């Protein structure tokens, strides 16, 4: 990266490390400070409890005028997350505001895990199952969590 | 034994003022007191095991689990009536349910000599209680402790085989136990008074120091320069000093993972670390005026005295917790009822966290009293908020004046009129270029309407005054960004000097 890192990104990174959000960690790559390795714990009380989900986060050149690009690396059974790990979340698209930060976005994602929204699906199959047979869907989500999202 | 030793050592070595030591809980003496109670009970033939037996296994063997916790004490109660209503008249008494004619306790498991003792005692009692006509109706909703006559009370029971007419409560007064609580109660009052007095004193000190700091950091203004030998650079030293302090608060943690007051030991290490930091950065030495140096020293001293009172109160709370635990262990007389009473009197002393025993009034003795860090908790909290509002607030911190978009100081601050957020003019121009409509902080559609009238001159003056260096830097950056916007990035690339 030739262009110097904006002060905002430096500040955010510093704060993420000095005051980490409980259950969330974000580490910038050494060679590219705009690229973060993210780990989010499944919220307690949800069907993702006990899992640790890996995500990748990238801050585009226009950040903070445009939202960070973020995607799940860990396989997850969730109506708003598709097979490629892309996330359907309003603040990552139209409702992005430059006053939001990495930490607030990651908190929103953690909250999304706690409250799946099958009415606004990204993964049709999962959403259908979620609407028609919720106990079964939750059971599958639990199984996937134990299968794929174990802490290392 | 170990704690008593440690307690005395700490009290002696930490250099607490004399008048504090007078108010300290006399751990050793209270321990002796417990021994006395123990002896007294033993003379009655009621050692700890017997009391525990009295209170516990009786019902289990007879009625099984059918009986509720409240009824378990039908045959035995160490609890005085109406504690909440008349807390002053608390006298520990042991109440044993006995047969009216023979004065034999209704507990089959008692040793013969214990029975004899109790019989003797009972014969001295004046029996004044009258039969309650409708005892059976009362039986369900009246717990044993809800009697009108605290001296002698006829307790109706639900258990069939015992004829309630032949049953009476026998009161065994416990002089030593009363003495124990008489000692402990006023001590706590003293500690509470001490806390109030010290808090007041510290608050005054904080106010005084606040005035001093205000005087020292007042930025240079025209005309003042000659008269007041205050360099504006002192402002920066103070800001840095307070920033470090805010970053790692000594007494109170705002950390998301673990908020709340810190313990004495933690606070001590934090204060030491802070002191170390100040030394390493040489901030104190860099202060220009003697007044500033005095104020800085005062600031540190203030922290030390707060730390001291926290330590003192914490030690006392610990002593209190230990002594009550010991009391329970040795006598099984259920000191928590006393504790519950204290908790209502001094909510600050015992934050009602773990054991809220409202649901089960007759819980067994092993319920741990919870006085985590006692008065120290409130002191830490109060003092921290006092310091932040009265002293640290005097020197504005950059973080409080940063633009939410670029997280740098809001240069040429713009208020959009929809919320209180302050943006740099540069960021607003960028948002307008991107045709963002909504305010980043509150989502109101105000961005595109903003123009020169939205400049917040009041804030601008303030920032220029308190952040002169940042203002200059931002001004330069803004000029570069403005050129870049007009003529393109290439125009301002380093190496291309525009004169």
């Amino acid at each position: 990266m030739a262009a110097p890192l904006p002060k905002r990104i430096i500040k955010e990174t510093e704060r993420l490390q000095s005051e980490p959000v409980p259950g969330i960690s974000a580490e910038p790559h050494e060679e590219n400070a705009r690229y973060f390795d993210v780990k989010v714990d499944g919220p307690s009380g949800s069907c993702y409890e006990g899992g640790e989900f890996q995500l990748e986060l990238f801050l585009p050149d226009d950040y903070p005028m445009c939202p960070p690009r973020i995607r799940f690396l860990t396989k997850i059974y969730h109506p708003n997350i598709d097979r490629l790990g892309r996330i359907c979340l309003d603040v990552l698209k139209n409702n992005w505001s430059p006053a939001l930060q990495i930490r607030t976005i990651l908190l929103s994602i953690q909250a999304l895990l706690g409250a799946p929204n099958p009415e606004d699906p990204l993964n049709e199959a999962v959403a259908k199952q979620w609407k028609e047979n919720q106990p079964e869907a939750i059971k599958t989500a639990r199984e996937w969590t134990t299968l794929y999202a174990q802490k290392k | 034994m170990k704690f008593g030793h440690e307690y005395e050592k700490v009290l002696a070595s930490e250099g607490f003022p004399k008048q504090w030591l007078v108010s300290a809980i006399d751990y050793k003496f209270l321990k002796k007191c417990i021994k006395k109670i123990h002896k007294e009970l033993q003379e009655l033939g009621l050692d700890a095991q017997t009391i525990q037996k009295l209170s516990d296994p009786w019902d289990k063997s007879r009625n099984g689990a059918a009986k509720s916790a409240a009824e378990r004490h039908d045959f035995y109660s160490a609890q005085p009536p109406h504690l909440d209503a008349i807390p002053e008249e608390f006298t520990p008494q042991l109440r044993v349910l006995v047969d009216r004619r023979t004065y034999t306790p209704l507990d089959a498991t008692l040793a013969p000599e214990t029975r004899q003792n109790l019989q003797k005692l009972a014969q001295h009692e004046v029996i004044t209680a009258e039969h309650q006509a409708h005892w059976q109706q009362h039986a369900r909703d009246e717990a044993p402790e809800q009697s009108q006559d605290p001296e002698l009370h006829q307790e109706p029971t639900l258990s069939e085989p015992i004829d309630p007419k032949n049953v009476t409560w026998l009161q065994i007064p416990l002089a030593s136990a009363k003495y124990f609580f008489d000692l402990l109660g006023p001590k706590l009052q003293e500690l509470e008074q001490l806390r109030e007095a010290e808090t007041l004193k510290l608050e005054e000190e904080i106010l005084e120091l606040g005035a001093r700091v205000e005087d020292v950091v007042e930025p240079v203004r025209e005309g003042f320069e000659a008269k007041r030998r205050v360099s504006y650079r002192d402002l920066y030293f103070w800001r840095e000093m307070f920033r470090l302090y805010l970053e790692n608060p000594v007494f109170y943690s705002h950390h998301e993972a673990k908020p709340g007051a810190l313990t004495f030991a933690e606070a001590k290490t934090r204060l030491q670390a802070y002191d170390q930091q100040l030394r390493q950065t040489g901030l104190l030495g860099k202060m220009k005026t003697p007044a500033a140096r005095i104020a800085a020293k005062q600031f540190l001293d203030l922290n030390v005295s707060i730390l001291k009172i926290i330590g003192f109160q914490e030690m006392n709370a610990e002593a209190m917790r230990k002594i009550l635990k010991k009391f329970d262990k040795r006598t099984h007389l259920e000191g928590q009822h006393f504790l519950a009473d204290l908790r209502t009197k001094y909510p600050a002393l015992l934050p009602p966290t773990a054991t809220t025993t409202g649901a089960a009034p007759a819980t067994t003795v092993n319920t741990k009293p919870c006085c985590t860090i006692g008065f120290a908790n409130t002191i830490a909290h109060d003092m921290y908020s006092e310091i932040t509002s009265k002293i640290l607030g005097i020197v504005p911190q950059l973080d409080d004046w940063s633009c939410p978009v670029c997280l740098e100081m809001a240069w040429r601050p713009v208020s959009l009129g929809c919320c209180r957020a302050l943006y740099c003019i540069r960021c607003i121009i960028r948002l307008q270029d991107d045709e963002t409509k909504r305010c980043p902080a509150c989502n109101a559609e105000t961005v595109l309407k903003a123009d020169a009238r939205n400049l917040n001159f009041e804030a601008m003056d303030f920032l220029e005054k308190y952040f002169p260096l940042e203002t200059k830097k931002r001004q330069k950056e803004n000029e570069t960004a403005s050129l870049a916007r007009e003529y393109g990035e290439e125009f301002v690339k380093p190496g291309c000097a525009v004169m």
Side-chain angles (χ1 to χ4, degrees), chain B residues 208-226:
Chain B
E208 194 206 313
L209 180 59
R212 234 174 233 267
V213 172
E214 200 161 3
D215 193 52
V216 167
V217 300
E218 183 66 20
V220 179
R221 278 175 296 191
E222 305 291 323
F224 274 78
E225 253 180 306

Side-chain angles (χ1 to χ4, degrees), chain A residues 7-8 11 65 95 97 103, chain B residues 256 404-405 407 438 440:
Chain A
K7 184 107 176 271
R8 157 148 179 166
K11 274 199 171 176
M65 293 305 157
N95 278 348
S97 141
R103 61 165 56 222
Chain B
E256 276 168 76
V405 175
L407 297 186
R438 291 183 299 182

Side-chain angles (χ1 to χ4, degrees), chain B residues 223-254:
Chain B
F224 274 78
E225 253 180 306
K227 251 198 274 168
R228 299 180 39 168
R229 314 213 131 221
V230 181
S231 153
Y232 73 79
R233 284 177 54 201
D234 268 358
L235 171 69
Y236 278 84
F237 297 143
W238 279 93
R239 179 172 300 140
E240 181 61 13
M241 189 166 138
F242 287 166
R243 194 185 62 77
L244 289 173
Y245 189 79
L246 277 170
E247 217 165 64
N248 227 344
V250 174
F251 304 112
Y252 206 78
S253 164
H254 279 303

Side-chain angles (χ1 to χ4, degrees), chain B residues 356-478:
Chain B
T356 32
T357 43
T363 38
T364 37
V365 250
N366 48 28
T367 334
K368 243 191 177 173
C370 68
C371 35
T372 40
I373 50 171
F375 288 128
N377 189 10
T378 39
I379 294 178
H381 185 264
D382 290 355
M383 288 300 114
Y384 176 68
S385 64
E386 281 289 307
I387 287 184
T388 37
S389 61
K390 305 266 162 65
I391 298 182
L392 304 188
I394 293 166
V395 185
Q397 290 289 333
L398 196 56
D399 278 355
D400 300 328
W401 294 93
S402 59
C403 160
V405 175
C406 61
L407 297 186
E408 289 192 67
M409 191 193 84
W411 187 77
R412 292 248 159 127
V414 172
S415 295
L416 292 176
C418 47
C419 58
R420 292 174 58 87
L422 277 184
Y423 301 97
C424 333
I425 193 159
R426 189 51 43 199
C427 289
I428 291 295
I429 292 175
R430 253 189 95 182
L431 286 171
Q432 287 181 337
D433 286 350
D434 285 359
E435 291 189 11
T436 310
K437 293 191 193 84
R438 291 183 299 182
C439 162
C442 73
N443 267 350
E445 297 198 4
T446 45
V447 172
L448 293 181
K449 280 183 239 146
D451 55 31
R453 282 169 299 178
N454 288 83
L455 276 173
N456 187 335
F457 288 101
E458 216 177 297
M460 196 148 74
D461 286 346
F462 176 88
L463 291 173
E464 227 164 287
K465 185 173 146 194
Y466 278 97
F467 299 93
L469 299 181
E470 285 84 351
T471 306
K472 260 185 210 152
K473 186 178 143 245
R474 292 291 284 155
Q475 199 167 356
K476 227 176 224 154
E477 281 170 6
N478 183 54

Side-chain angles (χ1 to χ4, degrees), chain A residues 30-99:
Chain A
E30 262 173 48
E31 66 273 24
N32 184 355
R34 286 171 175 271
Y35 190 90
F36 290 77
D37 284 326
V38 178
K39 283 185 195 125
V40 174
D41 289 351
S44 56
S46 74
C47 43
Y48 308 101
E49 186 174 355
E52 183 188 79
F53 298 89
Q54 307 226 11
L55 296 92
E56 60 175 4
L57 183 148
F58 180 72
L59 303 174
D61 281 348
D62 265 352
Y63 181 82
M65 293 305 157
C66 66
R69 282 208 290 271
I70 183 157
R71 139 187 128 83
F72 270 84
L73 296 175
T74 308
K75 235 166 112 96
I76 181 168
Y77 192 81
H78 191 289
N80 309 105
I81 298 162
D82 73 1
R83 248 176 271 130
L84 297 173
R86 292 177 298 193
I87 306 161
C88 174
L89 188 62
D90 59 345
V91 285
L92 285 176
K93 304 207 167 84
N94 305 331
N95 278 348
W96 167 254
S97 141

Side-chain angles (χ1 to χ4, degrees), chain B residues 111-233:
Chain B
E113 61 265 37
T114 312
R115 282 162 180 265
Q116 266 172 20
N117 272 323
L118 286 178
Q119 266 176 35
K120 251 186 261 162
L121 254 175
Q123 268 141 25
H124 290 299
E125 292 269 343
V126 192
I127 302 155
T128 50
E130 290 186 9
H131 289 201
Q132 278 172 308
H134 305 292
W135 58 270
Q136 258 170 328
Q137 281 169 326
H138 289 247
R140 273 251 170 241
D141 35 44
E142 256 192 36
E145 64 269 21
Q146 282 175 320
S147 60
Q148 285 91 0
D149 180 6
E151 275 308 306
L152 197 65
H153 173 57
Q154 197 143 2
E155 187 55 46
T157 62
L158 280 177
S159 6
E160 243 75 62
I162 297 159
D163 182 0
K165 281 180 188 132
N166 297 325
V167 160
T168 184
W169 279 105
L170 173 61
Q171 305 275 342
I172 306 166
L174 299 166
S176 311
K178 181 175 176 343
Y179 187 53
F180 174 80
F181 286 122
D182 279 354
L183 271 176
L184 207 52
K187 268 282 174 250
L188 285 170
Q189 210 166 348
E190 257 179 73
L191 281 175
E192 163 81 13
Q193 275 163 4
L194 180 73
R195 181 189 74 87
E196 259 169 38
E198 285 299 316
T199 312
L200 229 67
K201 213 175 98 196
L202 287 169
E203 267 169 21
E204 261 167 45
E205 262 177 59
I206 287 175
L207 275 184
E208 194 206 313
L209 180 59
R212 234 174 233 267
V213 172
E214 200 161 3
D215 193 52
V216 167
V217 300
E218 183 66 20
V220 179
R221 278 175 296 191
E222 305 291 323
F224 274 78
E225 253 180 306
K227 251 198 274 168
R228 299 180 39 168
R229 314 213 131 221
V230 181
S231 153
Y232 73 79
R233 284 177 54 201

